[in-house]
Amino acid sequence: MLPPTHEPTGYSCPFCGIQQGFVDEWNSPSDVVAVTNRAFARIAPKWWPGNPGGALVMPRTHVENIYALAPLDGSAVWDLVQRVAVGIRAAYGCEGTSIRQHNEPAGDQEVWHLHVHVFPRYEGDRLYERHAEAEWVSPDARAAYALKLRRSLGLPVTFDD
């Protein structure tokens, strides 16, 4: 039995929207760094100090959280998470990466579409101690990181297939 849904009635999913061309200050086509048949990756619009250019990887189909994720979509997401982590390491010259995923309000989920965070990590960056200092960044600030990561990944960046 699946847990209850927390997605509000009539929810306008930003991750589904970006695939359909919806643009606002938090969702820009230039944020997209890789697209596969079942998953896509984008530069995150919210960054923690000392860890700019984090990415989000999610299934292309709308699924609220890990509990309802189909195995094929899960495999596609985790395959792309690995590629994005390798790409971040190469593109940014960081010293490591961290990956996390949240489910339900008590698990700190804020967007009702499953997504996995991939963070660039640096010695002494205190990522997990600085949650309150995270900031939303502009599309222009995100674009340079998206370009670096897109080049590193060498994957398609459109939703045409």
Side-chain angles (χ1 to χ4, degrees):
M1 185 169 141
L2 294 176
T5 184
H6 297 282
E7 180 179 308
T9 302
Y11 180 65
S12 179
C13 177
F15 298 154
C16 291
I18 198 170
Q19 293 183 78
Q20 299 162 358
F22 175 77
V23 176
D24 65 10
E25 65 184 311
W26 313 124
N27 297 286
S28 172
S30 64
D31 294 334
V32 177
V33 296
V35 178
T36 68
N37 287 338
R38 300 186 84 87
F40 74 100
R42 60 160 301 174
I43 295 298
K46 186 176 182 181
W47 293 354
W48 280 247
N51 305 88
L56 303 174
V57 180
M58 63 225 61
R60 293 194 53 189
T61 187
H62 183 79
V63 60
E64 183 175 332
N65 52 40
I66 195 85
Y67 313 120
L69 185 64
L72 285 175
D73 290 327
S75 294
V77 166
W78 284 103
D79 287 348
L80 190 52
V81 163
Q82 181 185 30
R83 290 181 80 172
V84 167
V86 169
I88 281 177
R89 185 88 165 73
Y92 303 170
C94 57
E95 298 161 335
T97 59
S98 284
I99 297 164
R100 69 181 180 199
Q101 192 272 322
H102 307 278
N103 298 287
E104 301 183 272
D108 290 329
Q109 185 176 7
E110 296 175 344
V111 177
W112 308 115
H113 186 124
L114 179 129
H115 57 286
V116 179
H117 296 259
V118 184
F119 294 101
R121 296 301 305 271
Y122 303 90
E123 188 68 37
D125 64 20
R126 298 178 29 241
L127 172 68
Y128 296 115
E129 299 168 31
R130 302 183 82 180
H131 184 72
E133 298 173 51
E135 296 181 337
W136 296 93
V137 295
S138 71
D140 289 340
R142 297 189 310 260
Y145 285 87
L147 181 60
K148 282 183 191 179
L149 184 52
R150 198 177 296 120
R151 286 179 177 156
S152 178
L153 292 170
L155 291 169
V157 294
T158 63
F159 297 108
D160 296 335
D161 46 359

